[in-house]
Amino acid sequence: MSVSPFTQNIIAMVWDFDKTLIPGYMQAPLFRRYGVDGNAFWAEVNALEAQYRARGCEQVAGEMAYLNHVLTYVRRGVFKGLSNAVLEALGAELTFYPGLPAFFAELRTLVESTPDFVRHGITLEHYVVSTGFTRTIRGSAIAGELTGVWGCEFVEDLDSDNDEIAQIGYVLDNTTKTRAVFEINKGVNKHPDEISVNANIDEAERRIPFRNIVYIADGPSDVPVFSVVKRNGGRTYGVYNPAHKEEFRQINKLQQQGRVQSIGPADYRPGTQTHMWLSEAVNDIAAAIVRERESALGARVGQAPRHIND
């Protein structure tokens, strides 16, 4: 008889970062530290594609361009002394949307305080999947609530005592975010030596089935992940900054297109649409796990024998 390696009683909340958990972009503290005009930096990044193509580069990746531009600033002395330690320290300067990071703990408490959920060993994990800096996320106020982080990473100069970042170590873009979600789904992050993200594993054998995953993000760049999660039975939720009408229009359009199941303001305090929808999603998923496990138990055990009355 085949035995599944996982009990599939884990719920995963998978979060985008910029404009989902914080109002802006995580690079803002970096620009403040070095007195750099953020708008000018991004304008230079946006112009790089044409420059690369003019030099014969046929394929240009946006995230690679911005990471390379950070390294260019380091080499030119604009970001003098920028190290991974500095990137992590900058995370402490990030301001989160209302209700965070408390909401992360509240969702876990919802699961851990419900007797039926506890009886079946149901747990909840939070993950961040971002095209931003992994180190900055890990230095932020929300880091202690996270089971895992996927993002972009730099490597410091290995041939020098100088701890400035010198190379790109890992790149995550809007398409490869889907790879991170599959790693969570299959359990690659927990068992990297035993499981490959490309391994052919039946959904019933995966650590966190897609039906137990909720993906929360803010816009069109998240469409690949929205599509993967929703198509495989997971839940998708879009958030927007209520102070910016254009952000609402963006995510509202995605809902109209069926990309996300629901939307709400990036306000995670009790009583808000977002707090209630996500809390109810977690409750529904946990209740479904209970029903499935109890049904499976009943089917295996069967009814106890009983006397037949004449």
Side-chain angles (χ1 to χ4, degrees):
M1 181 178 67
S2 174
V3 178
S4 174
F6 302 118
T7 54
Q8 297 197 326
N9 56 354
I10 303 168
I11 300 169
M13 305 296 288
V14 183
W15 306 81
D16 178 38
F17 197 84
D18 293 342
K19 295 192 173 184
T20 297
L21 300 178
I22 63 174
Y25 294 103
M26 71 174 70
Q27 291 80 16
L30 171 64
F31 298 148
R32 284 198 302 269
R33 178 185 178 96
Y34 289 99
V36 168
D37 182 334
N39 291 330
F41 176 89
W42 292 120
E44 291 168 4
V45 169
N46 292 335
L48 287 176
E49 180 175 351
Q51 295 176 31
Y52 289 173
R53 291 189 184 281
R55 297 190 178 199
C57 184
E58 296 182 6
Q59 295 177 312
V60 182
E63 277 67 28
M64 186 69 78
Y66 106 79
L67 295 172
N68 275 329
H69 207 49
V70 169
L71 293 179
T72 296
Y73 269 42
V74 173
R75 289 194 299 272
R76 292 175 179 173
V78 180
F79 288 160
K80 186 175 178 58
L82 181 59
S83 63
N84 281 318
V86 171
L87 287 173
E88 188 163 331
L90 291 172
E93 299 181 26
L94 294 175
T95 300
F96 287 84
Y97 274 122
L100 296 175
F103 184 49
F104 278 39
E106 289 168 13
L107 288 175
R108 264 200 296 271
T109 299
L110 185 158
V111 172
E112 295 169 357
S113 63
T114 303
D116 280 352
F117 303 164
V118 174
R119 188 171 72 254
H120 286 277
I122 299 171
T123 58
L124 184 144
E125 298 175 349
H126 291 287
Y127 294 92
V128 164
V129 176
S130 169
T131 59
F133 306 141
T134 299
R135 294 299 183 102
T136 301
I137 296 167
R138 291 199 177 282
S140 73
I142 216 161
E145 303 290 344
L146 303 177
T147 300
V149 178
W150 278 259
C152 299
E153 300 209 43
F154 293 104
V155 177
E156 294 163 357
D157 191 341
L158 302 178
D159 298 321
S160 168
D161 293 334
N162 183 349
D163 60 359
E164 283 186 336
I165 56 174
Q167 300 175 34
I168 297 171
Y170 192 83
V171 181
L172 199 72
D173 62 26
N174 297 322
T175 302
T176 54
K177 275 185 173 185
T178 60
R179 176 190 172 96
V181 175
F182 274 108
E183 289 188 4
I184 295 167
N185 165 240
K186 293 182 179 181
V188 177
N189 58 309
K190 293 292 185 178
H191 304 276
D193 295 330
E194 293 85 13
I195 302 173
S196 164
V197 70
N198 295 317
N200 185 15
I201 306 172
D202 189 88
E203 186 71 10
E205 305 293 321
R206 300 182 184 190
R207 183 172 184 265
I208 307 178
F210 273 103
R211 65 180 180 275
N212 293 1
I213 294 177
V214 184
Y215 183 66
I216 309 98
D218 69 285
S221 62
D222 296 287
V223 164
V225 185
F226 279 142
S227 298
V228 166
V229 173
K230 189 169 181 284
R231 184 173 63 247
N232 287 282
R235 306 194 183 206
T236 54
Y237 189 80
V239 297
Y240 61 90
N241 187 333
H244 296 282
K245 187 178 294 185
E246 187 55 38
E247 289 190 23
F248 168 76
R249 287 174 176 161
Q250 276 192 154
I251 203 68
N252 187 51
K253 186 173 182 179
L254 292 185
Q255 185 181 27
Q256 292 172 350
Q257 295 170 345
R259 306 280 192 173
V260 294
Q261 293 168 322
S262 188
I263 65 173
D267 186 337
Y268 301 92
R269 291 173 292 188
T272 63
Q273 149 78 7
T274 297
H275 187 286
M276 290 188 288
W277 195 94
L278 292 175
S279 297
E280 193 63 18
V282 168
N283 189 76
D284 286 350
I285 293 169
I289 294 171
V290 170
R291 289 193 300 272
E292 183 179 85
R293 290 169 64 83
E294 291 186 347
S295 175
L297 180 62
R300 287 194 177 190
V301 173
Q303 292 187 337
R306 56 188 177 86
H307 293 287
I308 299 176
N309 295 325
D310 292 332

